[in-house]
Amino acid sequence: AVVSTQSTGEVVAGISEIRNIITVLSGKGGVGKSTTVAVLAGTLASSGLSVGVLDADLCGPSLSRMIGLKGSIHSCEQGWLPLSASVGKGRISAVSLSFLVENQDEAVIWRGPKKTAMIKQFLSDVCWGALDYLLIDTPPGTSDEHMTIMEAIPNCSVVLVTSPQAVAAADVLRQVTFCKKTNANVLGIIETMSGFVCPNCSDCGLLFGKGGGKRLAEYCNIEFLGYVPIDPNLSRLLDRGELFKNFQSSASIQSYTEITKKLIKP
Amino acid sequence: MSMHCGYLFKRSFRRLLSSQNNKGLPRKFPLAGVKNVILVASGKGGVGKSTVATNLAIALSKWCSVGLLDADVFGPSIPLMMNVREVPEINHQKLILPPINYNVKCMSMGLLVDPSSPVVWRGLMVMQAIRKLLRGVLWGPLDLLIVDMPPGTGDTQLSITQEIPVTGVVLVTTPQAVALADCIKGAEMFGKVSLPILGLIENMSFFSCPFCSVKHHLYGSTPLSELVAGTAADVPVLAQLPMEPSVVRDCDKGSPSVIDNPHIGLVFDSVAERLLLHLDLESET
């Protein structure tokens, strides 16, 4: 279903009326950026806030699958209307390239200029309205997508995600430098995949180690927002697109809830 | 961002841009002295491409001469994983001499820039950098160049597949649905440019608890062959790798597991033997 994004019924295109925009970056692939965006959106919306999510990972748009949204974007006179999903008592507006392509399995093989143009359209032509929060999911790296977002949103707020591994932390360190050069407002670092509690014996195995993200935060003088453990139940929910239907059933949601409290503190 | 090597953007490489076929795409020219090229790719980030590429390169180096190109200019992991730190030298022909460790020639953007400096480049610069890492490096003589690809289906993938002839692609994925979806997209992309997919490697297949030894399939237990059946990635599964903390630690300390871990060594030896069947090691280049 599509929804008008303002209570007055007036539809406004672009991001100008959004109160808070948070871009989730990493530099490293596969550390849980999309997962973080999906779960943070869910925790924010569950608390009664109006939330939007934008998937800027055009080649690998995972977000729509994770939040269980399929469909086509429709347009009105003012622009494109996002799709929406309900979570608890709240709703989340979402935009992804997957809503614009006919075949979900088809590869999007685009060079930089095309990606830049698409992201600019997502930011200017979508009727986001007066959301409390817009969360932006990004691909790994520091290329066209990231520069386009930073140029469109001056002093953009950023949350960095890393796994505990040194190879991940090395990429995120570069991302920190990128944020400083683009005058981004880094809200903090989240360390994902931090420990696995065995459902059988309840002991905690450190598959990828622990503490790499915290050490990085201390090294860069950035707030450490928290650890998120490996959670097979969360992975299953995301794979099946059932996250918002069973939002409170996953243990790692509590970790994200604590992180959300730090992000929305006044 | 500051570069150690200012020659990277010399206009002389623009002559390569003028080699056009009738469709306006550059003609593919083999790398001088390199007989075979295998891409290790996925589509999805963080599934273990660099880990696989590193261990595979070392396993194959027992049978033939191997080079390892880190084509991920934004997140270059190979210097750390292969424990290669030195800034490369340049010969009298102004070609970069790739450092060698574990009997494998290595090259990465990570050897050319400060570790904390991000590579903040749009697509055109990425294309130029990839060309430099391909043709500005003295790779030959070499039986096999393994290319560790970045995630995605964008500029780097297009640049490499349009620039040089490639023997085939090894796809790496985890059993996670989002990873598989991107892996299939990657396979589709390579299919569109007529590159054969030589096989799949399933990483993070399961995790054995070190305390109670119970196996956990963190991303589901359906066989990968069933998950990719009927898709562009419907190719033989070459190996299933478990999630092992020791492999993670080995990557982080630059001591690839294939060297000292007998089980991992056997797995990659098996993959290497199957890939050798696809290589042309006889012809002169």
Side-chain angles (χ1 to χ4, degrees):
Chain A
V2 295
V3 62
S4 171
T5 49
Q6 274 209 6
S7 57
T8 57
E10 183 188 351
V11 177
V12 178
I15 58 174
S16 59
E17 300 206 339
I18 299 175
R19 296 180 188 83
N20 300 278
I21 301 178
I22 298 177
T23 301
V24 177
L25 297 174
S26 173
K28 185 81 177 80
V31 294
K33 292 180 292 303
S34 302
T35 300
T36 295
V37 168
V39 181
L40 286 182
T43 55
L44 288 166
S46 296
S47 63
L49 297 168
S50 57
V51 183
V53 294
L54 165 57
D55 193 349
D57 187 348
L58 304 178
C59 294
S62 308
L63 202 55
S64 54
R65 179 190 296 268
M66 288 180 173
I67 60 178
L69 262 185
K70 286 182 185 178
S72 298
I73 282 189
H74 297 282
S75 60
C76 62
E77 281 185 6
Q78 288 74 22
W80 292 345
L81 295 171
L83 272 63
S84 72
S86 58
V87 50
K89 296 178 183 176
R91 290 194 77 83
I92 293 175
S93 304
V95 166
S96 166
L97 189 63
S98 62
F99 302 152
L100 292 167
V101 297
E102 284 186 14
N103 183 355
Q104 300 290 309
D105 293 333
E106 190 170 343
V108 170
I109 313 170
W110 287 359
R111 287 203 181 268
K114 211 164 176 178
K115 290 193 236 180
T116 296
M118 190 79 257
I119 292 182
K120 282 182 177 174
Q121 278 200 277
F122 282 165
L123 294 173
S124 64
D125 294 352
V126 171
C127 301
W128 292 108
L131 295 171
D132 293 311
Y133 281 90
L134 174 66
L135 303 179
I136 303 179
D137 187 19
T138 58
T142 43
S143 189
D144 296 87
E145 301 92 327
H146 314 85
M147 285 189 264
T148 304
I149 291 168
M150 293 302 169
E151 287 166 3
I153 309 170
N155 305 118
C156 181
S157 293
V158 165
V159 166
L160 294 166
V161 179
T162 185
S163 68
Q165 274 181 284
V167 288
D171 285 352
V172 181
L173 177 61
R174 293 188 196 93
Q175 203 77 341
V176 171
T177 310
F178 170 73
C179 290
K180 286 180 181 169
K181 290 191 175 187
T182 53
N183 295 316
N185 173 29
V186 181
L187 301 177
I189 292 178
I190 297 172
E191 180 178 310
T192 58
M193 304 186 184
S194 194
F196 169 64
V197 179
C198 175
N200 185 56
C201 67
S202 300
D203 273 310
C204 182
L206 301 179
L207 273 74
F208 299 103
K210 192 179 176 82
K214 191 165 196 293
R215 286 190 291 274
L216 180 65
E218 289 166 354
Y219 178 79
C220 298
N221 198 26
I222 291 171
E223 182 176 353
F224 181 66
L225 295 171
Y227 299 105
V228 179
I230 293 173
D231 184 351
N233 188 39
L234 178 63
S235 298
R236 268 192 297 275
L237 291 175
L238 293 169
D239 269 6
R240 295 172 188 169
E242 295 173 355
L243 175 68
F244 293 155
K245 292 179 188 172
N246 302 281
F247 195 62
Q248 296 302 332
S249 68
S250 182
S252 59
I253 299 295
Q254 184 55 39
S255 303
Y256 277 111
T257 302
E258 296 302 314
I259 290 170
T260 304
K261 289 177 187 172
K262 292 181 185 178
L263 288 174
I264 63 174
K265 65 185 178 188
Chain B
M1 184 202 71
S2 62
M3 301 287 289
H4 291 174
C5 306
Y7 53 74
L8 274 180
F9 309 108
K10 274 194 172 177
R11 289 173 187 268
S12 58
F13 286 102
R14 288 192 185 177
R15 65 175 179 268
L16 292 175
L17 294 176
S18 66
S19 302
Q20 300 280 324
N21 61 19
N22 290 337
K23 295 180 182 178
L25 293 173
R27 278 182 61 194
K28 295 186 188 183
F29 289 103
L31 296 176
V34 176
K35 292 178 181 168
N36 301 272
V37 177
I38 288 180
L39 311 183
V40 176
S42 73
K44 185 81 175 76
V47 297
K49 292 180 293 304
S50 300
T51 304
V52 166
T54 301
N55 284 283
L56 193 56
I58 295 172
L60 281 159
S61 70
K62 288 187 274 193
W63 280 282
C64 58
S65 56
V66 181
L68 178 59
L69 167 58
D70 186 355
D72 189 346
V73 300
F74 301 113
S77 306
I78 297 302
L80 179 65
M81 291 186 177
M82 289 290 285
N83 198 19
V84 175
R85 311 278 179 184
E86 66 264 32
V87 177
E89 294 180 0
I90 304 171
N91 70 1
H92 61 282
Q93 295 170 313
K94 297 188 180 174
L95 292 172
I96 303 173
L97 302 177
I100 300 175
N101 200 12
Y102 304 117
N103 204 32
V104 174
K105 295 180 183 178
C106 305
M107 182 46 58
S108 167
M109 188 57 67
L111 297 174
L112 303 176
V113 299
D114 184 277
S116 66
S117 291
V119 170
V120 186
W121 290 345
R122 290 196 183 270
L124 187 58
M125 296 278 280
V126 174
M127 283 169 58
Q128 292 179 346
I130 292 295
R131 284 203 179 106
K132 180 65 185 182
L133 292 174
L134 287 171
R135 305 211 183 270
V137 175
L138 185 65
W139 287 111
L142 204 65
D143 291 321
L144 169 64
L145 179 65
I146 291 179
V147 183
D148 179 19
M149 301 289 281
T153 50
D155 287 283
T156 301
Q157 286 76 9
L158 285 168
S159 297
I160 289 178
T161 56
Q162 288 171 356
E163 187 77 22
I164 57 171
V166 172
T167 309
V169 181
V170 171
L171 288 173
V172 182
T173 186
T174 68
Q176 225 182 342
V178 289
L180 274 169
D182 286 354
C183 173
I184 291 167
K185 288 190 173 86
E188 280 215 348
M189 177 193 67
F190 291 118
K192 284 185 179 177
V193 294
S194 304
L195 290 189
I197 312 291
L198 304 179
L200 284 178
I201 291 181
E202 183 183 17
N203 199 12
M204 306 187 201
S205 184
F206 59 90
F207 168 65
S208 293
C209 175
F211 303 102
C212 67
S213 301
V214 168
K215 252 187 191 179
H216 299 284
H217 293 270
L218 300 182
Y219 301 126
S221 57
T222 307
L224 183 61
S225 53
E226 286 181 27
L227 294 170
V228 299
T231 72
D234 191 357
V235 294
V237 178
L238 301 176
Q240 284 182 309
L241 296 167
M243 226 180 228
E244 278 195 29
S246 63
V247 173
V248 174
R249 283 194 297 272
D250 290 344
C251 286
D252 278 359
K253 69 183 184 188
S255 176
S257 302
V258 73
I259 297 171
D260 290 322
N261 184 321
H263 170 64
I264 299 295
L266 280 173
V267 170
F268 278 99
D269 279 348
S270 166
V271 176
E273 284 174 11
R274 291 176 75 170
L275 292 178
L276 280 168
L277 298 173
H278 296 279
L279 303 185
D280 175 9
L281 300 177
E282 304 298 324
S283 57
E284 296 296 319
T285 53

